[in-house]
Amino acid sequence: MTPMGDPVPVRPPVRIANCSGFYGDRLSAMHEMLAGGELDYLTGDYLAELTMLILGRDRMKDPDRGYARTFLRQLEECVGLAADRGVRIVANAGGLNPAALARAVRSLTEKLGVAVSVAHVEGDDLLSRAEALGLGDPLTANAYLGAWGIVECLTARADIVVTGRVTDASVVVGPAAAHFGWRRTDFDRIAGAVAAGHVIECGTQATGGNFAFFARDFPDLTALTRPGFPIAEIHADGTSVITKHPGTGGAVTTDTVTAQLLYEITGARYANPDATLRVDSIELSADGVDRVRISGVRGEPPPPTAKVGLNTLGGFRNEMTFVLTGLDVEAKAGLVRHQLEAGLTVRPAEMDWTLARTDRPDADSEQAASALLRCVVRDPDPDVVGRRFSSAAVELALASYPGFTTTAPPGDGQVYGVFTAAYVPATEVPHTAVRPDGTHVDIEAAPQTLALADLPAPVLPDAPTPGSTRRVPLGTIAGARSGDKGGSANVGVWVSSAQQWAWLVHTLTVDTVRELLPEVADLPVTRHVLPNLRAVNFVIDGILGKGVAYQARFDPQAKGLGEWLRSRHIDIPEELLA
């Protein structure tokens, strides 16, 4: 940690903005951010676990591909504006091929006649060493690098830095560390930038997008037509203010920032290759309209291991959804299931059935009278889940339950991927900055590390005195955000007041969550308590099977899991509902 007497250089805050939260985000966002106000850096996060699988398949077709091509489309319109405004760009759009993207950027800027210097960061791709590192034979194997390759490129005066698989926050940490000249052991300051980076890396999720209380906080829905992308004003001591350009949609509030801080985390320690962020240390406070200050952040040395994301091709999948209308829904489901399974000459390796009772009795529309029966099949042989499965399903059209229909005709089997995370010693992962002049600089592993460990249980407020309650949805007072972590999911739940927090932390236990969400009743569930954020975070292992592309459930990324939890009814004290 930073020594207490270490002087902090007096420099103005650095303004670092985001223009992409995923591969496919708003194409115009780069121009909006550059034209909307003053910035020092513009960053973009284009990578996710599923994206790496998509890019891996791209690279199989063409070894010169494997990067986010939309980044080039954005640059074609915006690189001149960025150069004119002196805004430097850092993005992980390089995916599996950052060197190829850097070459493409140079070719583009030369064609446009815009004089900018381009650098890239590489070393994360461990595919050629996967077997030697005990990682098997995956399609992709990418370690999560930190920020210091970006720092080296920026110090070498690069205007555009593209990377492969760095952590989402690293594209923000790198510019901040380069701007202020932080040392690698300035863990509190680095962790502050990690927190800011985590808030803005998913774009408009920090400014009202996917926000639990949108109906309460945005009664005029036009305010959410196009939420503005977020900006982090990071100070030399690691504190920051999250904001957005004036006049843009959405809002930045302590609730929108809390929601994003809880997104896809585990416990009180949030590991990063440069510093471990103590999430339990974060303090949020309003700093004016659309301004939220993040302070009090503590950091620790990073863990000695590096996370490696592995994508493998798991086989082929297909699905059919049958529409069951009116009476005898359960019997209709039983009939078509029996018929389809009996009609398959070869049974797929996996066959999952899910009946969604979306029907209502005495419904006033046919749609409201209908339920959905979904059948998902997986097998190593594409023919088993393709032609054979589809033919068996189609043959039932005139021979099954009354009112037989499906949501779509059957198709061919599609390849699916399996994501797993592995860990290797950080010293085994090369990390190379390729400067604008083409020279390569090796970035050493962190000089100081600390293995992750559980923290002592935090001090909790006293449980509230029992009183009169009302049975209402949990979301009446609690917000939530959920997301995927490989085959697992997290659900972060928070409240706004100290009184609500005293009730929530004693009420929303693992057993309560298992009761409210029957789908997780038999799965490992871990609760993490974060008093500063008045939040509890639940990690549910195995709910997504073998990862997003496996599609074990109809919500394969668990994005709606938190909203399901909020919709469940629970006894809440009357005084908290006033």
Side-chain angles (χ1 to χ4, degrees):
M1 299 177 188
T2 306
M4 294 298 292
D6 190 20
V8 176
V10 179
R11 294 197 64 181
V14 58
R15 285 174 59 87
I16 305 172
N18 170 279
C19 70
S20 176
F22 67 100
Y23 189 12
D25 209 344
R26 189 190 307 168
L27 201 62
S28 62
M30 182 179 287
H31 186 273
E32 292 170 14
M33 296 308 291
L34 289 169
E38 293 298 317
L39 300 175
D40 298 301
Y41 292 90
L42 184 59
T43 66
D45 176 21
Y46 294 78
L47 303 183
E49 294 165 356
L50 182 60
T51 309
M52 299 301 279
L53 174 65
I54 295 169
L55 296 179
R57 296 183 64 191
D58 282 350
R59 189 172 62 176
M60 289 176 65
K61 300 172 186 175
D62 183 347
D64 289 330
R65 287 167 60 176
Y67 56 79
R69 286 172 286 171
T70 53
F71 178 69
L72 284 176
R73 292 176 58 191
Q74 291 174 303
L75 277 186
E76 186 169 12
E77 178 186 7
C78 299
V79 68
L81 180 59
D84 290 343
R85 292 191 165 229
V87 178
R88 303 164 84 179
I89 296 174
V90 180
N92 63 9
L96 300 176
N97 207 342
L101 178 56
R103 289 193 297 271
V105 171
R106 291 189 187 96
S107 296
L108 174 65
T109 56
E110 289 171 5
K111 182 182 73 172
L112 297 175
V114 180
V116 294
S117 58
V118 182
H120 74 274
V121 177
E122 60 188 24
D124 61 293
D125 194 340
L126 303 181
L127 188 61
S128 64
R129 299 171 54 216
E131 186 174 352
L133 292 170
L135 303 175
D137 184 26
L139 172 66
T140 67
N142 294 82
Y144 289 71
L145 301 181
W148 294 95
I150 297 170
V151 173
E152 178 63 36
C153 292
L154 294 173
T155 303
R157 306 183 69 81
D159 299 304
I160 299 174
V161 182
V162 294
T163 77
R165 177 72 278 188
V166 299
T167 68
D168 299 342
S170 294
V171 295
V172 173
V173 176
H179 181 80
F180 294 115
W182 290 340
R183 301 168 304 180
R184 296 191 65 170
T185 53
D186 287 335
F187 298 124
D188 287 350
R189 298 169 190 170
I190 293 168
V194 170
H198 180 57
V199 170
I200 74 170
E201 49 102 348
C202 275
T204 55
Q205 279 196 168
T207 60
N210 299 352
F211 179 51
F213 293 121
F214 80 96
R216 180 196 71 185
D217 292 358
F218 299 96
D220 179 3
L221 297 182
T222 59
L224 283 177
T225 303
R226 291 173 71 85
F229 278 69
I231 301 166
E233 297 175 354
I234 301 179
H235 293 255
D237 63 356
T239 61
S240 64
V241 172
I242 307 300
T243 185
K244 63 186 184 71
H245 283 320
T248 57
V252 178
T253 68
T254 54
D255 278 330
T256 66
V257 172
T258 298
Q260 184 54 28
L261 282 170
L262 294 174
Y263 184 60
E264 295 182 346
I265 65 167
T266 53
R269 285 188 165 105
Y270 183 65
N272 184 277
D274 305 310
T276 293
L277 164 64
R278 287 285 299 270
V279 181
D280 60 334
S281 69
I282 296 174
E283 297 175 8
L284 301 180
S285 58
D287 193 58
V289 177
D290 290 324
R291 294 178 63 84
V292 172
R293 181 172 296 277
I294 301 176
S295 60
V297 178
R298 302 294 300 275
E300 297 172 341
T305 56
K307 180 180 176 180
V308 183
L310 304 174
N311 278 291
T312 58
L313 297 181
F316 297 83
R317 68 178 300 279
N318 204 349
E319 69 176 79
M320 284 281 289
T321 300
F322 302 90
V323 182
L324 315 174
T325 304
L327 304 177
D328 305 319
V329 166
E330 299 283 348
K332 289 172 180 174
L335 173 61
V336 72
R337 176 172 180 169
H338 169 76
Q339 289 176 313
L340 182 56
E341 291 183 358
L344 292 170
T345 56
V346 178
R347 185 180 177 89
E350 299 179 54
M351 196 168 189
D352 298 328
W353 292 88
T354 306
L355 176 61
R357 294 300 303 265
T358 53
D359 56 306
R360 297 200 305 267
D362 194 23
D364 57 4
S365 72
E366 183 176 343
Q367 183 173 350
S370 300
L372 299 175
L373 177 66
R374 180 173 180 244
C375 179
V376 178
V377 291
R378 303 180 191 86
D379 197 90
D381 185 345
D383 189 47
V384 170
V385 299
R387 180 180 58 82
R388 293 182 180 182
F389 173 73
S390 298
S391 295
V394 169
E395 289 172 2
L396 299 176
L398 303 180
S400 190
Y401 61 87
F404 181 101
T405 188
T406 63
T407 57
D412 295 329
Q414 301 295 319
V415 69
Y416 72 89
V418 173
F419 176 88
T420 55
Y423 296 85
V424 301
T427 52
E428 291 288 338
V429 179
H431 187 173
T432 303
V434 183
R435 293 167 168 167
D437 63 3
T439 57
H440 289 58
V441 178
D442 291 333
I443 307 300
E444 295 183 358
Q448 185 179 347
T449 62
L450 179 65
L452 293 177
D454 292 334
L455 290 165
V459 176
L460 302 181
D462 293 335
T465 303
S468 60
T469 63
R470 194 189 327 161
R471 195 162 187 83
V472 295
L474 174 64
T476 305
I477 64 170
R481 178 160 288 169
S482 58
D484 59 289
K485 297 290 286 184
S488 302
N490 93 294
V491 183
V493 183
W494 83 95
V495 289
S496 299
S497 73
Q499 293 76 20
Q500 292 171 344
W501 167 240
W503 172 82
L504 181 76
V505 74
H506 288 285
T507 303
L508 200 61
T509 63
V510 168
D511 287 342
T512 304
V513 166
R514 286 198 170 110
E515 180 182 340
L516 294 175
L517 305 181
E519 288 182 23
V520 313
D522 298 324
L523 297 175
V525 181
T526 306
R527 187 178 88 148
H528 302 278
V529 179
L530 302 168
N532 279 15
L533 299 178
R534 299 192 182 107
V536 285
N537 186 51
F538 296 89
V539 179
I540 304 167
D541 291 327
I543 190 171
L544 303 181
K546 298 176 182 178
V548 171
Y550 184 71
Q551 295 193 19
R553 60 194 307 270
F554 81 101
D555 176 21
Q557 292 181 288
K559 302 301 186 186
L561 193 59
E563 287 303 294
W564 178 28
L565 180 61
R566 292 183 69 237
S567 74
R568 298 291 286 162
H569 287 225
I570 192 169
D571 294 325
I572 298 179
E574 289 274 5
E575 62 181 350
L576 302 184
L577 298 171

